[in-house]
Each structure stands twice: as structure tokens, then as C-alpha cells.
Amino acid sequence: MHTRSIGTGPHGSGPQRETSPPGRRYGHTYSEPPRPRVISVATCWFFSCQPFHSTFPCITTATLFGQITPNPPTCPPAPVGAQHKNHHELSHSLPSDRERSRNTRPGDARIRRDSALPDFGGGGGGGGRAMEKEQKAEGERAATAATQRWVIGVGFWVQGFRLFPWLGVNFFLKDAMGVPSSSLQILQASATLPMVAKPLLGLLSDAVPIRGCRRLPYVAIGALLQAVSWLGIALWPSLSLPVLTIFLLLSNFGASICEVANDAIVAEAGKQATSSSGGQLQSFACMFGASAGALGNLLGGIALSYFSPKLMFLFFAIVLVLQFFTTVAISESSLKLPKATTNTSVISSIRKQTKELSYALCMPEIFWSIIWFSVSYAAIPFLLGTMFFYQTEVLRLDSSIIGLSKVFGQVALLAWSMAYNKCFKTTSARKVLSALQFITAVVMLSDVLFVQGVYRKVGVPDSIYTIVFSGLLEGLMFFKVLPFSVLIANLCPSGCEGSVMAFVMSALALSIIISGYLGVALAEFMGVSGEDFSALPVCLLIEAGCTMLPLFCSSWIKERKGKEKKEE
């Protein structure tokens, strides 16, 4: 606005000013370059006396000019007729929204600030405010996703690194305690019994929040239990087999609590993701677990050559203590997970979660898929302990070779996680699971040739085969977990993700226990022991044949494209 003094105003209130024509006074563009925005006290006084100031009392001089100005001096009110006249002229001089938008160049912030009047209709400022809100919401979503990935990454990394002390357990049982092959495999299978309690732990986590939180407190409790157990194994003066078994059971009980809570976080956070990113959190968790397993086996194989297994147990206990304090320092509200209901009792919450879990398990898609997944493991008489003794006692392979073979298996699992996320995520789960089952049987058939010395005759060293194929076989046994977890997460009704995923992991643990017991029974029946491995090729043929059996009932794997809403 351009003004010039033309005299003295009434009542000696100050100089009167001649105003520009209305179109220029209230327009948004000027032909000459914009002048410095200097607001005098007289200008403030002039606008405070205008009629629109009483019409819009919330509009102050600072609002009009975009900056704070001194309080204007008071002035006597104009006559009523003059007020109406000035108000009428002002309303005709105001430009319309269409004229204002036509005369204003988009993105010119200076011209917007130099406008004489604000947009009282809110047409121009609403878009900016909406954009700011959208940017703020996008920033909050990014921060939430980063926190979720941090919690999931730490949780699955520590659980994958459990292979570091467990490799030491195998050699500690064989060398320090003199446990035979059959007893070793029975102890390995029995130590996973706490994993069978995962459905109960899932119900507990879903129905009994701790200080309003259902996931992270359970992760912290599980990490603390594991730390206590491994510290006991490392520091117990004269460790006997029963005491070691109790500590191993306590360790796996704590691990099962952590895995239940971590699986529930992945399932709940994965449901909040878009359909295009479905399965990415599962792949992310699997990659972190596999990378930690590879590192644990690599460091374990090296550490066994220089340190005692008890030092390995002590080191892992320190890692668990760090996980405990890290988990306690994170607020679960930052994960934006579904809130726990606080207006119901513990008994009613458990009853509700049990009802929801039974409803989910009675769904044909979930029920038959879990049955097939369990049978695909339980039907195999797995000879893991027998092959471990054959490689170390007959072939005399070093602990570093055994560690490298497990590293290769974890690297293969990591590569599979990345490949699945990029190439096979949209493929039918039935095709993926059936193909993995068939490949597992083929590798087992290859073990028959390995035990008979066929690869040795063609120039392949036993160490190379053990590193590549034995490690690949151990990894293949868990390749099916990722696509099946994605399938169940897509089929699972909302509200019972933790319970359903816990039930799936419990079924997996029970199936592996049954598989280990069947392997011990097969080896005993065929006469395979720590000194006699002549019947091992026949045992491996039976193992491969049993692995092919689940392929004939792959139609049990049910799929559906749309999620069915859970009935109330």
C-alpha cells in the first residue's frame, strides 16, 4: 500500500493519508518492485480505526502484516454512518478469491506476505497446513518404523547369536562330559521342550500386559532368564549332566518368551504395513537372525580352538545383559502397537484370547496349513547328532570346519531371506514350500553318496562337502519357516497374532523334538553308534524317503487372497 501525508487529521490525531485506489491497495501484485515492509505507528493507528477491525476482532495488526508491531494508539470511533459507508466501500474494494489466485504467482512467498489483507476464507492457508500435517505424520511414521526395525533387529539378532554358545555345548558334551551320540541328540531335542509352551506364553503376552505393555517387558524377562542360565553354566564349579540340563531348559524357556514377544511384534507391525510391503518385516527379521547365526557359528568355531566353552557361555551371558538393558530403555508406545485393554480382568482376558485362538485354529486355511507344516518336520527321522559324531570321530574334522558348515547354512538362510523378499514373495506359498521340501530330500540323498565316499573319489574333500552341503541341509530345514510365517500372518485374524504365531512356533518345536527322537530310534534300530557307522547310508536313505512323504499331501496348504474379518 502506498500513502502520502495530505494534512492533519481531526482532533489533532495525526496526519491524514491519501490511499491508493482500492485495486492497488488490496491487490496482490504491483507493477513496481516491492518496497521494504516498514510499518509506522501512524499506519498501525490508521488500520486500527478502520471498520473491519471491529467486524473481525481477532484480526490484529500483527496478523495483517505478518509481524508484531507496537500497540496502536486509541482513536475516537467514527460516526455510525461513516462506519457503514467505509465498510461498504471496503467490501467492494476487497478482491475475490479467484482474482487473488489469478494475480498471485504460485510459490511466491514474498508476495503472499506483502498482501494487505489475509485470506479470511482459509482457502490458501489450508493447503499449507494440510501439507505440514502430512509431513509431520510422515515423519512420525518413519520414526515408528525405525524404532520397530531396531527392536526387531536386536531381538532376532540376539536369538540368532544363540548358535554361538550352542556350538560350544555340543563339543562340551562330547569332549568334556563324554556323552555318546544317542544321548547327545536326545539331550539336544529335550532341551527344546520349553519351546512347546509358546502358545501359553503367547496367551499370557496377549492377555496380561505388564504396566500396559504386552511385548517389550516379556522380551526383557526372557533375556534376563537366559542371562542367568548361561551365567550358571559358565560359573558353576563342578557341572553335572542333570544340572546342565536344568540350565539349558531355563535358557530355552527364556528364549521362548523372547521369541513369542518378537514374533508378535513382527506380526502386529507387519499388519500395519501396506500390501506392497507385506512380508518385509518377516524377511528383515529372518535376515537379522540368519546373519547373527552365521556370525555366532563363525566365532564359535574359532573360539573353540583357543578358549574353553565356558568362556563362550560367559560372553553370551554378557550379550544378554546388554539386550536386557537396551529393551528396558525403549518405550513400547514408540512402536505404535495395538493397545492392551485395561478394563478387563486377567481371567476374562485369557478366556477371550483363548476363544480367539480357537477361532483362528478352527479356520480351515490355518488348521490344515499348520498340520502340513508340522508333519513336514515330524515325519523326518533327523540324524543330526549321528552326523555330528560321524564328522568329528570318523572323518576327524576340526571344530572350525563344523563351525564353517553352520556359517554356510546361516549365510544360505540369509540369502534365501533376501531372495524370497525380492522374487518369491508373490509366489504361491504351496509351490514354495513344496519345492523346499523336495530340495531338502535331494540334499539328504546326496549325503548317502558322501558317507559312501563317492565325492571323495571324484576329488571333493570331506571338509568342503561338510561345509557346503551339510551346512546347506541345516539351513534348508528352516527355509520353510519364512514363507510359512508370511502365510500365517496373512491368514491370521486381527487381535490374536501373538497367540497364533506362538502356536505355530510351538508346533515347529514339538515337530523337531519328535524328529530328533525318531532319528535316535532309527539309529539304534539300525545299529549305528559312535563306533559303528556301517548302516548309516541306509539310515540316510530312509531319512530322505520320509522327507518326500509330505509332498503327497501338499494340498493341505490352504491359501486365500483376501483376509476374512474375524467375527465378533
Side-chain angles (χ1 to χ4, degrees):
M1 180 181 61
H2 310 289
T3 62
R4 62 184 179 90
S5 300
I6 59 175
T8 304
H11 311 288
S13 57
Q16 291 184 344
R17 297 180 180 271
E18 181 184 22
T19 61
S20 300
R24 296 184 59 194
R25 174 181 172 184
Y26 297 102
H28 288 251
T29 57
Y30 301 95
S31 57
E32 63 270 24
R35 299 181 180 182
R37 300 173 61 234
V38 179
I39 302 175
S40 64
V41 176
T43 307
C44 298
W45 166 83
F46 174 79
F47 275 95
S48 66
C49 294
Q50 296 301 313
F52 68 83
H53 185 72
S54 60
T55 306
F56 303 97
C58 62
I59 306 298
T60 61
T61 309
T63 308
L64 292 172
F65 292 94
Q67 64 186 59
I68 300 177
T69 58
N71 293 329
T74 59
C75 65
V80 178
Q83 289 184 6
H84 288 291
K85 180 179 179 182
N86 292 338
H87 186 269
H88 180 70
E89 293 175 356
L90 176 63
S91 62
H92 281 285
S93 63
L94 284 171
S96 63
D97 292 341
R98 183 177 299 177
E99 293 174 348
R100 196 150 53 241
S101 62
R102 183 171 61 248
N103 294 332
T104 305
R105 294 192 303 268
D108 196 338
R110 179 191 288 179
I111 293 177
R112 287 183 177 272
R113 290 196 302 267
D114 288 340
S115 302
L117 285 177
D119 186 6
F120 298 113
R129 288 191 295 270
M131 184 178 296
E132 291 178 358
K133 290 182 179 179
E134 181 63 27
Q135 291 177 352
K136 184 178 179 181
E138 185 65 27
E140 291 178 353
R141 286 193 294 267
T144 301
T147 307
Q148 290 175 350
R149 288 180 176 268
W150 167 258
V151 171
I152 293 171
V154 170
F156 278 84
W157 192 92
V158 174
Q159 294 309 307
F161 198 70
R162 290 175 63 236
L163 296 179
F164 173 78
W166 272 100
L167 182 61
V169 168
N170 293 334
F171 283 93
F172 183 74
L173 289 171
K174 183 180 76 73
D175 299 332
M177 305 190 73
V179 177
S181 60
S182 59
S183 301
L184 174 64
Q185 186 159 340
I186 290 177
L187 181 59
Q188 287 177 337
S190 302
T192 59
L193 279 174
M195 300 291 181
V196 182
K198 280 188 174 183
L200 297 178
L201 297 174
L203 287 174
L204 190 67
S205 174
D206 287 338
V208 185
I210 300 176
R211 292 188 177 183
C213 302
R214 300 186 300 165
R215 306 306 179 202
L216 291 185
Y218 287 94
V219 175
I221 292 173
L224 186 61
L225 289 177
Q226 292 182 83
V228 170
S229 64
W230 288 108
L231 280 174
I233 297 175
L235 303 178
W236 197 272
S238 56
L239 195 63
S240 61
L241 189 60
V243 175
L244 176 62
T245 305
I246 292 175
F247 279 129
L248 291 178
L249 289 172
L250 180 62
S251 171
N252 279 337
F253 180 69
S256 63
I257 296 176
C258 288
E259 290 179 4
V260 164
N262 287 325
D263 289 339
I265 292 174
V266 172
E268 290 176 342
K271 283 206 166 198
Q272 298 173 359
T274 59
S275 59
S276 60
S277 59
Q280 286 189 358
L281 279 179
Q282 285 87 348
S283 300
F284 175 81
C286 189
M287 284 189 290
F288 258 73
S291 61
L295 180 63
N297 283 318
L298 178 62
L299 294 179
I302 297 175
L304 284 171
S305 303
Y306 300 96
F307 307 103
S308 67
K310 286 196 171 185
L311 285 178
M312 300 171 60
F313 306 151
L314 180 62
F315 176 78
F316 186 65
I318 296 174
V319 173
L320 290 168
V321 171
L322 294 177
Q323 183 196 13
F324 171 77
F325 286 109
T326 302
T327 307
V328 170
I330 298 175
S331 173
E332 187 169 318
S333 59
S334 61
L335 301 180
K336 298 294 187 297
L337 299 177
K339 300 293 183 181
T341 56
T342 57
N343 55 352
T344 57
S345 63
V346 174
I347 301 299
S348 59
S349 298
I350 293 178
R351 190 174 301 166
K352 178 184 176 183
Q353 291 295 332
T354 305
K355 183 179 178 181
E356 290 179 346
L357 176 60
S358 359
Y359 170 83
L361 295 179
C362 289
M363 297 170 62
E365 297 88 351
I366 296 180
F367 175 78
W368 288 108
S369 298
I370 293 178
I371 291 295
W372 185 90
F373 186 68
S374 304
V375 169
S376 68
Y377 285 95
I380 304 173
F382 203 40
L383 301 170
L384 180 62
T386 305
M387 287 297 295
F388 173 76
F389 264 78
Y390 176 78
Q391 293 166 352
T392 55
E393 296 296 325
V394 177
L395 301 181
R396 299 293 179 181
L397 296 178
D398 190 64
S399 60
S400 59
I401 300 298
I402 305 299
L404 285 176
S405 70
K406 296 181 181 297
V407 168
F408 188 87
Q410 295 299 316
V411 171
L413 186 60
L414 176 63
W416 162 245
S417 303
M418 300 173 62
Y420 177 80
N421 190 34
K422 290 186 177 181
C423 306
F424 301 101
K425 188 171 59 177
T426 57
T427 309
S428 169
R430 180 185 300 173
K431 295 180 180 179
V432 174
L433 294 172
S434 301
L436 291 175
Q437 191 75 13
F438 178 77
I439 294 174
T440 303
V442 171
V443 175
M444 288 179 177
L445 288 175
S446 177
D447 280 350
V448 178
L449 302 179
F450 167 67
V451 172
Q452 291 179 338
V454 175
Y455 293 108
R456 193 182 309 116
K457 294 176 181 177
V458 297
V460 178
D462 294 334
S463 58
I464 298 298
Y465 182 90
T466 300
I467 291 175
V468 176
F469 288 94
S470 297
L472 180 61
L473 179 60
E474 289 192 27
L476 277 171
M477 293 297 293
F478 296 98
F479 274 25
K480 295 180 293 185
V481 175
L482 175 58
F484 191 77
S485 299
V486 174
L487 173 65
I488 294 298
N490 292 331
L491 298 177
C492 179
S494 178
C496 56
E497 294 89 354
S499 303
V500 173
M501 294 304 298
F503 186 86
V504 170
M505 294 299 107
S506 171
L508 173 62
L510 182 60
S511 301
I512 290 177
I513 291 174
I514 295 174
S515 175
Y517 288 164
L518 289 178
V520 172
L522 177 63
E524 290 291 331
F525 178 78
M526 299 298 297
V528 177
S529 62
E531 294 80 17
D532 184 13
F533 291 92
S534 58
L536 183 57
V538 179
C539 293
L540 292 174
L541 278 175
I542 297 175
E543 181 187 32
C546 294
T547 306
M548 298 288 289
L549 292 178
L551 293 176
F552 297 99
C553 53
S554 60
S555 59
W556 292 357
I557 306 173
K558 305 294 182 180
E559 297 179 273
R560 55 179 177 174
K561 297 181 179 179
K563 286 188 186 179
E564 181 180 315
K565 296 292 182 181
K566 180 171 65 68
E567 298 176 2
E568 295 293 334

